[in-house]
Structures are given as structure tokens and as C-alpha cells.
Amino acid sequence: MVQLAGRPSSNPDRSRLIRREILIGGTVQGVGFRPFVFRIAAEHGLTGWIFNSERGVTIEVEGAPDHIAAFQAELTGNPPPLAVITTVRTTDLEPVGYTSFDIVPSRSGETRTANVPSDAATCSDCRREIMAPDDRRFRYPFTNCTNCGPRFTIVQDIPYDRPQTTMAGFPMCPECGREYHDPLDRRFHAQPNACPVCGPAARLVDRAGKPVPGPGDAITQAAQLLRWGMIVGVKGLGGFHLACDASNQAAVAALRERKRRPHRPLAVMARDLQTVRRLCRVSPEAEQLLTSPAAPIVLLELLPGAPLAPGVAPGLDQLGVMLPYTPLHLLLLNEGPETLVMTSGNPSGLPLSIDEDDALARLGHIADAFLIHNRPIHIPCDDSVMAVSGGAPYFLRRSRGYVPAPVPVAKEPGSPAVLGVGGDMKNAFCLVKGEKAVISQHLGDMETEEARANWKRALDHLIRLTGIEPVLVSYDLHPGYHSGRLAADLPAERHIQVQHHHAHLAACMAENGLAGRAIGLVLDGTGYGTDGAIWGFEILAGDLAGFERVAHLAYSYLPGSEAAIRHPLQAMAGLVGAHLGDVGLVQLEPLLDREGHQQVEAARSLMRSRINCPQVGSAGRLFDAISALLGICRRQTYEGQAAIELGSFAMTGRAYPVVMTEGGELAVAPFLRPLLQDVLRGFDRRLVAGRFLSTVVEMAALGARRAREITGLADVCLSGGTFQSPWLVRATEERLLSDGFRVFRHRTVPPGDGGIALGQAMVARRRWQSGCV
Ligand code: ZN
Ligand code: ZN
Ligand code: FE
């Protein structure tokens, strides 16, 4: 038991004292909460005790009423940086005459309902120490404290204590041990506490795993290689990155070629905020995200003439940027180039590499050298990606720094624990129990065996950390989804299928606390519809239990089915063929080269035979088709490329005519015909692209108005992967607001498929509750 004698109260008269029990819930363990309370109790002359309890922390304080009030104000008003207080319950009791303030050891079996903290970027105190030549942690790449450092990625089991983390193999030296046990030290109970004497160390090795000889330590050497234009695999917090100098075009081109990633924009890590400002426009909201403990990649508007190799984000007006979030990154960026490409270290379709052997085997043909270390990563966790639109931040990928912090949802009394397994692309799953939804790290596409094995491991891990054992399992309606098969293999009382876009709507409703019915405007890539067609431009009306489809984009064909996603010309042929017929297809001729001509011909024969040619009404495929028509993107090498490039290319223009049929079909021909004519007449394609974007917004608004007329609802939820575009979110929101709607967007889960698991779980839970499963 740690004790500190309390300062005698200013009024020792027992009758004027009170004793108060304070129960605090939220993320309050492993974040320096107990030393903080210990310190402020002493400052306010209070006695009593604190311990980590099952639900958070329990405090009892005794002292003068005004001192306790001041203590409580500081407790809730100025908690440690990583603490998140969600509940405070107080009870006043008879004083018992405590003489000291104690930190009582944790009770066994505690912390099941307390949250395991997320990984946090290096705090300013630790930064100072790393940069101070007289500090014992000068240049130490694994410096951390209770306010920062690895958490989720090193925790193997709970309670969150050092022996249950990958730091178990590093016994603390006497000096680290002293810090760890001193309640007034910043490293009191900092589980990953370490120093150069006792902690992990970095090494630089070549592709064969042999040490690279040279002057200086591993980081200095790696920095030198990067300055020379080489590619270095860097072991970070949640996995390996592939790094190279972001201002060196030859290095960037080599990385792209070796990783076989021709176009997909690469994320950049910049030395500091000043460096970011030389590359991009940084709004106050974006600055806050960049410098937050989560330190995500933030999508920013690129400045013209930014000092960056053109191959980093080819053809785009946006760049994903992050700041160094571990001491190792800080040192590397300080000594190496001021901007590094930092792309995830995984061959496409495969999970992130987390250990050295795996990285050498799988990335050895890409990296020239590897900067590694001996602190094991227990579970892979990709970087998070965020965007800001109209001053509001939202997730494109919710992962490192946010997982496993729960998302609050409304309670369904008596409902069992639920798992939503997510979809097959950009997968994340979600565990829901009571008022807590815990969403997994980004697990990517489910195409490969390795990805699915990684998924199962991540599920076991999160079930262990949260103690949420799912009784219901929910999954997508798509009969061919791998995630559906994984769901079916899991033991559960009931397996419940949820339509893809209903899950999108439900996720947006749940995180905005909408309990009744709402309109869902879901602009998406592909999702399996209840009629077997591919949906994705949906105006729905519904609640968590069910939905009706009020309006949607008129169907086209998708020759080649979902494989056509890689070839936007096929989507274009399907769109033109379905709505303008052979006449339209013939008109396309002058816009095509030989290869394009062949692709369109092949698509035509698929359409004639109706083989491998499903019906599709999706915003994603509509963007693909128009992007191909305008000659912006005719080969798609990453998901959403055609739409992103179209967005970057467009200037503003007014909408083409939008028309809706009696039955709620948004017609294509009325806007496609004049659009095609404009292209054939050689009008400025940037303007045509802009007019198309406005058309999409107008169609969405028309659909929403129909939904309001039919249902009387005025709350609209915006969801679906197409809303990853900051421009489209803002434009649609403004348009709907001017039409008198209340508009809700995603704030805590991504609008794309990374967010559907939450919706699946919420729908399954409600259906179970209302007995309709
Ligand atoms: Zn720190
Ligand atoms: Zn030490
Ligand atoms: Fe989707």
C-alpha cells in the first residue's frame, strides 16, 4: 500500500468534516489516474484512499466540504491527458477519521469492464527528455510514461499490468523501478516503462537480417540511408512501415514499383507541424487531430508547389499526413529527411507484418534495410486516417490511437452481447454490450487466408480484453462474403443477416443517438440488395429493426460483375448501354483508344448474353463510369480511385437535369445524355466533372424529399463509402440543410465499410429485442 500522510485539515473539528465516495467510470486505468488523484488529494488536504475497481476507480475522500468541492472540480475538470471520464457518481457518508491518503492495491478480477487504453503518441514531457543531452533517456527510442506510449498493441491479457504485456521480458532496472513505484512520479505504474539500461533496443539490419556496419547507432544509420534515397522497413507501434524520403522522386518511384502500388496515394510523416504547413493547408481542426494523442493520418489539402515528390499522391489535390508518434519516429525524422513516405508494411491483401522474421521474408524484396527492435508487437494495428469537412472531423479508418476505446450507444435493457462481423472490404468488427460498442482495429480486405486468420486472432484478442462474449452474431446479406462464412462458423445462439445499406444507416443512427426512424442517404460502392442486385445509391427510411427502400438510382449493368471495379470502362459501357442503348455506345467511339474499344466490345457481348452481368445501382460504380467517360481514370488500382481522381479534377458547375420516376427511380438518361454530348462537343471536362458532382447532390436531395413526403421524416443520415469525399459530405449536407432537413453524419466510425459492423450489431440487437429474428 502506498501512503502519503495527509496535511491536517484546516479545521480538524470532526463535526465539520464530510466523507465522500466517488465512483468514476471510463478510461481511467493505465493513464496515470491514481497518482493524479493522490497528488490533488494531498494538495487539498484530504485523507482517504483510491483503488482501481471493476468499473473504473473508486475514491473515498474525507475533509472540509469546500476542500472536497475544490478537489472534485479539479478531478473532473483537469484529468490526465489520456483519461476519459464517462461517469461520476458520489455518495456522502459519515466521516471515519482517515489519517492519510492511500493507494490501495488493485483487487483481483477487476478491470473487466474498465477499458484497456489506446496507444498514445509521445507526450511533450517525454519528448523533452529524449532531446535533453543530460537526461538518462536522451535519444532513447522507447521512452514512455503514464501519459503516452504503447498500450493496445502490447497488451496480451487483462488486467493491464506489465506481466500481461510484451514488456514482461524486460525487468525494470532499479531506477525505472523507483519511478514505477513512486506515486508522485510521472511513471508511477507506467506498465511499459523502460530506459536504455533495462528496456528494448533498436537495431539496423540488411535484407538478410545481418547487422549493418557503420558509424553511429541504428537510428543515425537508418536516417543516413533514407537521406541517400533508400527504402527502410521500420518497425513501429502496431506493425512495420516502409519508409523513404518523400521529396525524392526516384526513391518514391522505386517504392511504388517494388510494392506494385502504381497510384494509391502514400501517407507522409512530417518532422513537425511547421513542415506540414509547407506541404498542406492546415485548419485548426486538422491541427488538433495531428497533435492529439491518437496522432492519426489526416487528409489535408495539398498546397501548389509543395516540396514533395510528384509520385507521392499522383493527380490528387489531397495528401495524408501524420506527425511522428513514437520516440523512434521522432529521432528518425529529426536526423533523416524532414518528410518520409510511411506506407504500411504489407503486400496487398495480406495483414501488416509485426515481427522481424515475417518482415524480412515478406518485405525483403522491397526494403533495402530494416530498422527493428526487440519489443514484441502483440497485435497488429494500422494507422488511423481522418478527414475534416466543414469543420467536423470524421474517420476514414478508425484504428491505432482509437482502438479499443468504446463508442457509447443507447442501452437496450436485457439485450445480450452482440458481434457484428463487418463486411469483406475495409473490415473492422464490432462487439456491443450494454452501452458500449467496441470496434476493432482496421483489418482490411478478407480476400486471403492470412487476412482471415489475422481476423480471427484479432477477434479472440478483443473478446479477451473486453470480456464481451457474443451471444448473437450478425453479418452481411451477401451470399459470397468471406465474413459471412466466418460468422457462420462462430458459436452463437443466433446468426442474423443484415442488409449492407441498412447496416450503414443503423451505424449512423446509433452513433448519433437516433432512437426512432430516420431517412438514410447511403452513397456507397457495392452492397448486396434484397432483390439480388448490387445496391449503393440508396434512399432508405427505417429504424434499427427494419427499413424500406424509398428511392434509388435506376439500375445499369455491371459487365464482368465486381471484377469490373478494376476496369471503369466496363462500368461506363454498362451505364451507357443500359440507359442510352446501342446509339449511346456507338457515340462513345471517338472517346476510346484501341484497348478501350476492345473493353467496351467485350462488355457489350456480356450485356447481350447477360452472363456475368448483374444489375447495379451504385454511386461508386456511377463515379467509376463517369470518371472513365471523362478519361480521368480507366484503370483502377485501388478502391475509390476513380471517384477520388474525379473529385480532384473537377471545378464547380451546375447540375444536369435530375428526374425521378413515380416508383422512386432516379433516372440516368436525363443527365447522362447531355453530359455525353458535352464531352463529345469538347467542352472543358473539368466543368463537366463538376456538373456531374452537382448532379449527384441534386439526385440525393430529390430522393430525400421523396422520403420526407412519404414518411414525414426530416432527419437524414449520410453514410456509405462515397461520403469519404470531404467535398461530397459538405455539399450534400448544405443542400439538405437548405431544404429544411436535419442532417446527421458519422463522427465515431467511418462512413465506409469500416463502420458497418456497428450497424450490423445494433440491428441484430434490436431485432432480438423485438422478437423478429
Ligand atoms: Zn510521456
Ligand atoms: Zn531502466
Ligand atoms: Fe458499403
Side-chain angles (χ1 to χ4, degrees), residues 207-389:
R207 289 170 168 186
K210 300 236 165 53
V212 177
D217 65 15
I219 292 178
T220 305
Q221 277 182 281
Q224 182 65 265
L225 295 185
L226 289 165
R227 276 203 305 270
W228 286 338
M230 293 195 188
I231 298 168
V232 179
V234 179
K235 183 178 177 185
L237 204 53
F240 272 78
H241 282 112
L242 289 161
C244 76
D245 182 351
S247 66
N248 181 332
Q249 176 56 23
V252 173
L255 176 59
R256 282 199 178 279
E257 201 195 310
R258 293 186 206 168
K259 211 187 168 195
R260 295 211 194 89
R261 183 178 263 207
H263 307 116
R264 190 184 198 128
L266 300 166
V268 165
M269 187 180 270
R271 185 178 291 170
D272 48 28
L273 208 51
Q274 259 173 305
T275 310
V276 182
R277 288 189 203 286
R278 282 201 293 278
L279 300 175
C280 297
R281 206 175 301 285
V282 184
S283 66
E285 296 83 11
E287 176 176 334
Q288 217 175 23
L289 291 173
L290 285 165
T291 57
S292 69
I297 296 170
V298 184
L299 204 59
L300 301 171
E301 192 187 322
L302 251 177
L303 292 173
L308 198 69
V312 175
L316 300 184
D317 57 1
Q318 293 185 325
L319 180 70
V321 188
M322 61 184 147
L323 289 173
Y325 56 82
T326 69
L328 186 137
H329 294 141
L330 278 164
L331 294 165
L332 194 61
L333 270 289
N334 256 345
E335 298 176 20
E338 61 178 16
T339 53
L340 289 179
V341 163
M342 287 287 255
T343 182
S344 352
N346 56 315
S348 66
L350 296 177
L352 211 55
S353 287
I354 55 172
D355 75 64
E356 289 67 34
D357 295 340
D358 181 61
L360 288 172
R362 285 170 26 179
L363 307 173
H365 63 291
I366 304 176
D368 298 299
F370 290 86
L371 179 59
I372 59 175
H373 61 74
N374 56 347
R375 185 180 69 203
I377 298 170
H378 180 64
I379 198 90
C381 192
D382 274 284
D383 293 317
S384 294
V385 187
M386 296 199 79
V388 178
S389 172

Side-chain angles (χ1 to χ4, degrees), residues 121-127 143-149 186-187:
T122 309
C123 74
S124 53
D125 290 329
C126 286
R127 265 164 213 258
T143 303
N144 67 83
C145 73
T146 41
N147 299 326
C148 74
R186 203 172 90 245
R187 295 192 165 92

